[in-house]
Every structure is written in structure tokens, then in C-alpha cells.
Amino acid sequence: MNPDIADFTTFDSERPPSPIAADWPAIEAWLGLAAGLPSDFKKLADACGPVDFGEYLWIHTPCAEGSRFDYGAWLRETHRTARIELRDLPEGERYTVHPEPGGLLAWGESRGGDVLFWDTSRSADPDAWNVVVHHSGAIPGSGLRLWHAYELTLSEYLNHTVRDSWDMPSPPGPLLGPLPGTLARTAFLPDAQPWTPPAPAAPRLTDAQRRVALQTGAGLEALELLSPPPAEPYLGGGSWEALFAELGTALPQEYVSLMERYGAGSWSRWLRFLTPLRTVDHERRFAIGVEEVLDGYRQLRASYPDEYPLAVWPEPGGFLPFANSIDGDHLGWLTEGTAPDAWPLVIWPRHARQGAPLQGRLIDTLLAWQRGTLTTEGLPGLDPSDDPVEFAGFTAWDTHAYW
């Protein structure tokens, strides 16, 4: 019989937990769990809502708060990351991951980056599901393994973390802790609300449209199917002629056409296109953003010429950036020759050595990347289990966007 979590915990006086209503039949149906979720988890959620346990573990119960957290989105992203991480294990040691039958199902994470799951393959009874932890690094007792299975249910696992010494209790294992037995409302979710499972949605594209978007189509036609453009692209209040005069060069017509269709914004929540036609300094003009990037590159090149070999605009053939990633990579052109339409694309990668120019033109490169057929430093690829239609997309910016 699982221990009662109330027997080894106390409520934090400054951030006491507070319950958030959960429609368990609807949630369990959305998860595809005929036998439901563990009763100790549901009891904890009903009494406390999302909690910070022992000042170290976040137990994610079904809730949502604006753009900060959505239970369903967190599960999808956590499970996707787990599938990718598990590919590093020998095939015979890999777990399956929800929604696969018997797959790992996430319930929490630690401040140190550990992720905690139930192994739903262990029993038809959810109250007997054991805990599996993906540790962020090897810890004592793990034998250098990052994935560790425990013969403990959720409440048993939490109970064993509440102790006063670093000695590993029985049963042995690389348990987290020692932790205090405190329960507090998760600090980043002070105003969380009940989470409602999303209703089933019809596919965004028909089979015929998917073939065009992912296989047979080309150019803007396919790109617009895969990543629909906004109704009102935001470019800024200036003109291309004024921008070209300020830069001292025209830019490739393909870029101009793409921007006039999409405007400034973020592709797949990763690649950010600078706003090209802002006109005043406090709106962060395109030329100012370019010069800041190139100033940084010049300084690095002066100290590490072998690692930063590119010329920079306006040097002949110099690098001229127009987009960046959320990880600090930069996409731009090598301004070779006097015909901008012939400039090759190049990525200045944040965490890798400089690579060769890309082979395709801008729209073809974006399309291949959105389809998942292009992987290069600075433009991460999709996992084999990902649906490109789900991960492709464009989010437009407005006048308040920094870039």
C-alpha cells in the first residue's frame, strides 16, 4: 500500500499550495489511459494543485497559466525530448514513451534538470506504476547511467527523498535528496487555472495538400501551405529604397519577396527574421542590428582568426546577417560580387566551427528546413517521429517586437 503523502509533508507558510479543479475522466480519456492515473497523484493534485516539493521537485498537475505553462503542451514537449534522448541508449535498453502503449508518462522535473516519469508498462494497475528518472547527469549510485528505474511508486519515491542525510536508503539507488518534506505552490504558476483537454482537431491539410507541402511543391506555394503567412505582414514604416541607401547595397529580390509575404517574425519558434523597414532608432533599425552583430564578429575574429574566418560587410564578400536563432546563431549572405541575387547563404553557428555556405537559395532552404529534410549547424532538424506539418510554422511580430 502506498504511503499517504500527507504523512511526510507540511505546507509551506509563504506559498501554501491550493487546489485546482481537475476533470479526471476527461484528462484520462485524452491521455488514452483506460485504467486512469495513479490515485496518489490525483489525491495530491486535488489537494494542492501544481506543487514545488521539497524545494527541488516540480510536480506538474493538470493546469494552465497563459503562456507560462500548459499541461498538455508540457507533456508533448517532454515526451518528444525523452524519445530523442532515449535514442542514445542501446536498442534493448530503450523505453517507449507515451502515447505509445506502456510508454513513459511524465509527472515532474527537478530544478537540476532531472525529469521524472511513470513506467506504465509495469502494471495494469496505475497505483503500481514505478518511477523512472532521466537524471541530468550521473549521480552517486547511478553507475554513470542517466536513466534509472526505481522499484518505487510516486509517493514511495517522494517519501524516500525526505531524509536528513546523504546516505542512500533502502532500496538502493541514485535517489535525489535529502529534501525537506515541504509542499508549496509552484512559484512560476501563482495564478494557474484548471486545464481543459483540447478537443480533437481536423487535420490542417488534406492529403493532397500535404503532398504538395512536403513532397511535390516548390517555392512560395509549398512554403505557404506548410507555414501559412500572416494576413498583415509587419515590415516597419520605411521603404526598401531607403534601407538599400542606408546599407549601401540592394538585398536579394527573393528576400524582399519573402518578407513582403511574411514580414518579420519567427519560423518554428527558432529562426527570427529581423524587421527590415523600421525607420527610427528606438524601433531598432535593421542597419543597427546588423552593425551590432558584425561588431561582435570583428572582435572575435581579431582574437580567434582561425575560428572566425569570414569577412564582414562591407568588406568584399563580407557576411551580412538578416536573421538569428534563439540560440544565438546568425543567418546571412556572403556578399560576393555585385549581384545580390547570386549571394550565397551562410550560417555563423554559435556552438560549432564555421561551415561552408549553404547550397540552396533562401526560400528553398527555408522549405527544406521546415520539411525536416535539411539539418545543419544553426538549423536543428526534426526527430524521425515528428510530423513536419505540426512543427512547421511562422509567428508574425508587430511593432513591439525587439527585432
Side-chain angles (χ1 to χ4, degrees):
M1 182 175 178
N2 287 326
D4 190 333
I5 293 175
D7 290 341
F8 57 88
T9 59
T10 58
F11 282 11
D12 182 270
S13 60
E14 295 184 2
R15 289 189 286 113
S18 56
I20 295 177
D23 184 347
W24 293 115
I27 291 166
E28 290 163 340
W30 181 81
L31 288 168
L33 301 174
L37 287 161
S39 58
D40 53 0
F41 174 74
K42 292 191 287 186
K43 183 178 179 180
L44 177 65
D46 286 339
C48 300
V51 288
D52 182 336
F53 175 85
E55 303 175 5
Y56 192 70
L57 297 179
W58 291 304
I59 301 177
H60 291 315
T61 61
C63 68
E65 184 176 331
S67 60
R68 289 185 175 185
F69 183 79
D70 177 274
Y71 177 70
W74 175 74
L75 283 178
R76 285 193 298 271
E77 185 58 32
T78 301
H79 292 159
R80 176 180 183 265
T81 301
R83 281 191 291 272
I84 295 171
E85 297 284 352
L86 284 162
R87 297 186 197 284
D88 292 335
L89 294 181
E91 188 170 353
E93 298 179 17
R94 296 175 193 167
Y95 297 92
T96 59
V97 181
H98 188 271
E100 291 296 318
L104 296 180
L105 178 61
W107 57 266
E109 54 192 324
S110 80
R111 295 177 187 272
D114 312 281
V115 185
L116 301 100
F117 304 85
W118 290 293
D119 182 355
T120 68
S121 71
R122 295 297 300 272
S123 174
D125 178 7
D127 289 338
W129 289 348
N130 290 340
V131 169
V132 171
V133 180
H134 181 214
H135 294 289
S136 60
I139 60 177
S142 69
L144 302 181
R145 289 184 296 145
L146 298 182
W147 292 88
H148 194 89
Y150 296 85
E151 296 297 323
L152 300 168
T153 64
L154 178 144
S155 54
E156 290 172 338
Y157 183 88
L158 296 180
N159 192 17
H160 275 272
T161 69
V162 179
R163 59 186 193 276
D164 297 324
S165 79
W166 287 99
D167 294 335
M168 292 300 169
S170 177
L175 290 166
L176 299 176
L179 303 179
T182 55
L183 292 171
R185 167 53 68 91
T186 303
F188 66 88
L189 297 175
D191 301 312
Q193 300 296 316
W195 178 76
T196 301
R204 181 168 67 83
L205 300 178
T206 66
D207 289 344
Q209 289 172 327
R210 280 184 65 92
R211 283 193 294 274
V212 172
L214 298 179
Q215 299 173 12
T216 63
L220 274 174
E221 176 194 13
L223 189 61
E224 289 179 15
L225 271 178
L226 192 53
S227 303
E232 297 183 7
Y234 175 65
L235 297 168
S239 67
W240 290 109
E241 291 75 17
L243 174 63
F244 297 166
E246 183 177 22
L247 290 173
T249 181
L251 298 178
Q253 182 58 45
E254 185 180 33
Y255 168 77
V256 174
S257 299
L258 179 74
M259 296 304 293
E260 289 182 342
R261 191 69 189 91
Y262 282 90
S266 175
W267 294 83
S268 294
R269 297 179 294 175
W270 178 262
L271 185 63
R272 308 178 295 190
F273 274 55
L274 281 63
T275 308
L277 303 183
R278 284 178 171 156
T279 56
V280 293
D281 287 351
H282 73 267
E283 290 183 334
R284 190 173 177 81
R285 297 197 325 273
F286 181 94
I288 292 175
V290 166
E291 190 55 36
E292 288 180 356
V293 172
L294 296 184
D295 279 348
Y297 193 94
R298 291 186 188 97
Q299 294 175 32
L300 290 167
R301 186 178 63 179
S303 299
Y304 310 101
D306 291 340
E307 297 181 30
Y308 299 91
L310 298 180
V312 296
W313 174 260
E315 299 169 12
F319 176 57
L320 177 57
F322 62 87
N324 62 41
S325 79
I326 63 173
D327 206 27
D329 312 280
H330 290 272
L331 174 65
W333 300 283
L334 293 181
T335 56
E336 300 171 349
T338 58
D341 289 340
W343 290 346
L345 291 168
V346 69
I347 293 175
W348 168 23
R350 171 76 182 279
H351 299 295
R353 295 187 67 87
Q354 181 63 53
L358 304 180
Q359 295 299 310
R361 314 306 300 169
L362 177 57
I363 291 175
D364 289 340
T365 296
L366 270 177
L367 179 58
W369 176 57
Q370 295 273 279
R371 284 173 166 172
T373 59
L374 170 68
T375 300
T376 187
E377 293 292 345
L379 294 176
L382 297 177
D383 185 69
S385 64
D386 292 336
D387 179 0
V389 174
E390 178 183 349
F391 282 85
F394 179 81
T395 303
W397 289 338
D398 58 22
T399 57
H400 302 292
Y402 180 68
W403 286 100

